[in-house]
Structures are given as C-alpha cells and as structure tokens.
Amino acid sequence: MTTMPPATVAAIEAALRAELAPLELTVRDDSAAHAGHAGAGDGSHFSLQITSERFAGLGRVARHRLVYHALRHLLPQGGGPGIHALVIDARAPGEA
C-alpha cells in the first residue's frame, strides 16, 4: 500500500492551483467539527469554494470531477488516510 501525503489546506490549495488555475480559492479545514464521528479517523473534512475558467460551460458533476482529479493524490484509495469528506462550491467566473 502506498503512503499518501497528509491532506492539509496547503496541499489542497497547491493541487487546485496547479491544475485548475483558480481566480478565487478558499479552503477550510472542518475536521474539528467532525471529531468523534465514525469516519473522522480515516481522514480530514474540508470545504472549498473555487472559481475557475475551467468550469465554464460545465455542469456540477463535471466540475466536481475536475476537482477530485486535481486532488487524486490526497484521496483515500483502498482505505488509506486522506480527505474523508469534501464540500465543493465550484463556479465559473461571473456566477453568483
């Protein structure tokens, strides 16, 4: 089993900036609010708001797929640690 890098705000921001060139990006670590629940030990909980030109003309599912692809090295595969939960608000420029 390969060792995954820790899921941190900085790691998430770096991955999203590298792949999606966001115009706006906010990543929040919500892990403390989920301490003690069944999946909390498997990874961290994050929320993100991202605005990128890459999302123009795409639906919600396609936008989320781009985000997940950018974060693939931080997602658990085979039960390893990583991002346990991710709330995504992905918008194209000009969307409210």
Side-chain angles (χ1 to χ4, degrees):
M1 184 159 127
T2 58
T3 303
M4 295 177 52
T8 64
V9 169
I12 291 169
E13 288 177 347
L16 293 171
R17 289 187 193 289
E19 291 216 21
L20 299 176
L23 302 173
E24 296 179 27
L25 177 61
T26 303
V27 179
R28 185 179 68 229
D29 186 342
D30 298 329
S31 300
H34 298 277
H37 100 264
D42 295 337
S44 299
H45 294 70
F46 295 93
S47 297
L48 67 92
Q49 293 178 316
I50 182 170
T51 302
S52 173
E53 292 181 8
R54 295 274 314 270
F55 299 143
L58 298 179
R60 182 176 177 225
V61 172
R63 292 174 184 195
H64 285 209
R65 284 183 179 148
L66 286 175
V67 169
Y68 284 121
H69 180 75
L71 300 177
R72 64 194 175 277
H73 66 287
L74 297 172
L75 297 172
Q77 297 176 1
I83 296 172
H84 173 72
L86 184 63
V87 175
I88 302 170
D89 180 359
R91 301 175 188 204
E95 293 179 346

